[in-house]
Amino acid sequence: MNSVCWHVLGAGSLGSLWATRLARAGLPVRLILRDKARLTAYNAQAGLAFNEKGQRQTFAIPAQTLSADEPIQRLLVACKAYDAERAVAAVAHRLTATADVLLLQNGLGSQDAVAARIPEARCIFVSSTEGAYRDEDWSVMFAGQGSNWLGDTQHDAAPAWLDELKQAGIPHQWTADIAERLWRKLALNCAINPLTVLHQCRNGGLQAHAEQVTALCAELAHVLQRCGQSGAAEGLLDQVQQVIAATAGNYSSMYQDVAQGRRTEIRYLLGHVCATAAAIDCAAPKLNQLRLRLIEHLNARGLPSD
Ligand code: NAP
């Protein structure tokens, strides 16, 4: 049987990391780029480059724009959270009646917005701890080993194509509770990333602000419990402290985004926790204050705060 084509929407860091590994395994892949200008720029290259441990390999993966008419059976959405809904809406008419759509976005909120746009499709949420960045256009550096947790909040059964991820060497695990995974990652992010931006420090710098971190974790755990995510609340402070110690020399992703003048995903991280707390009438003064200070910081640098 012929393999189903993997359509990868967004040839950024994670999209390229997935597309090149799938292509390397001989699986059919198509990149979906935002417009003709990007397609022309891509087609002027030999393909998409994958860099790992000093080795560089280029894959001539065919690309198309959002408006191509090829039907899509399997879609990997690899845009930022704030771009995902609009990008998926632009290809929604191309999805087949039994399409699977994998959502790689960090945080929460964008996945439900996408799912609401494509009610017929099976949406699979992915929580990735792999790390990648683009050293230049159409070239990805594999920067951090990790794994990908996949799950579906509507159906428990794992899809048969998980075998293709194995074939492609993409580390993954199916989970019956992807919401808990995503909430936990979001909580870790909220306890660390905004503070590194406001204190202008590496993750390890937060060891000097231990009281603030402890208080934030207590409030985060309370919100998680109140919104039915007690599993994600368990041992949160301990894990936050472990992450801070283990990544002491690193700058958080939000710190790097702000430092490089890039839009952050604040709305789907701290913004989502604050909105959830408000919706269930759960007081979250420290998180709200942190959000307002972060918004002020972003606005002062001319960056979007939504
Ligand atoms: P990225 O490098 O900025 O890539 C996003 C890509 O989406 C860009 O190539 C962009 O195109 C493309 N895009 C945006 N709108 C589009 C549209 N309408 N049509 C087609 N393409 C469109 O972002 P990323 O780092 O891969 O992050 C993607 C998601 O994964 C985020 O939610 C992030 O938090 C999460 N994540 C990333 C990592 C990591 O290590 N990078 C790890 C874990 C989770 P252009 O190139 O044309 O701008």
Side-chain angles (χ1 to χ4, degrees), residues 17-69:
L17 185 64
W18 280 63
T20 48
R21 288 181 296 182
L22 291 165
R24 185 177 61 182
L27 295 161
V29 185
R30 300 270 183 288
L31 302 174
I32 303 181
L33 307 178
R34 61 168 83 235
D35 54 28
K36 273 202 171 136
R38 292 297 279 156
L39 182 60
T40 306
Y42 175 74
N43 284 336
Q45 311 287 313
L48 202 52
F50 172 83
N51 304 272
E52 186 184 17
K53 297 180 189 140
Q55 303 280 335
R56 182 180 176 92
Q57 258 184 302
T58 301
F59 299 91
I61 301 171
Q64 54 189 225
T65 60
L66 296 161
S67 58
D69 49 17

Side-chain angles (χ1 to χ4, degrees), residues 282-295:
C282 173
K286 294 195 169 56
L287 288 161
N288 279 307
Q289 197 201 20
L290 182 66
R291 181 175 158 265
L292 292 179
R293 284 179 55 208
L294 185 59
I295 287 175

Side-chain angles (χ1 to χ4, degrees), residues 70-100:
E70 189 176 59
I72 301 172
Q73 172 64 29
R74 193 177 300 146
L75 181 67
L76 179 73
V77 183
C79 308
K80 294 281 196 186
Y82 47 76
D83 281 327
E85 186 184 353
R86 200 172 18 172
V88 170
V91 294
H93 64 285
R94 296 174 53 189
L95 295 172
T96 66
T98 56
D100 288 324

Side-chain angles (χ1 to χ4, degrees), residues 179-198:
E180 182 179 314
R181 290 261 155 205
L182 287 162
W183 268 110
R184 178 60 162 223
K185 188 166 183 229
L186 187 153
L188 290 168
N189 185 301
C190 290
I192 297 173
N193 294 23
L195 287 179
T196 63
V197 173
L198 294 174

Side-chain angles (χ1 to χ4, degrees), residues 186-188 190-191 215-225 233 236 270 273 287:
L186 187 153
L188 290 168
C190 290
L216 261 186
C217 285
E219 204 172 284
L220 277 163
H222 178 63
V223 176
L224 288 170
Q225 276 152 356
L236 179 63
L270 193 51
V273 178
L287 288 161

Side-chain angles (χ1 to χ4, degrees), residues 102-177:
L102 287 81
L103 301 169
L104 275 176
Q105 287 61 48
N106 212 353
L108 279 161
S110 71
Q111 298 90 339
D112 286 342
V114 168
R117 284 260 180 187
I118 47 171
E120 306 300 324
R122 179 178 190 190
C123 285
I124 289 166
F125 298 2
V126 186
S127 177
S128 179
T129 60
E130 292 193 291
Y133 64 92
R134 283 185 278 186
D135 58 329
E136 54 184 342
D137 250 3
W138 323 118
S139 175
V140 64
M141 306 289 292
F142 191 8
Q145 304 285 332
S147 194
N148 296 283
W149 292 87
L150 291 90
D152 175 343
T153 54
Q154 311 294 318
H155 311 277
D156 278 352
W161 48 254
L162 284 188
D163 276 351
E164 295 192 3
L165 299 186
K166 196 168 166 200
Q167 199 183 328
I170 297 176
H172 65 280
Q173 214 149 335
W174 183 257
T175 171
D177 205 347

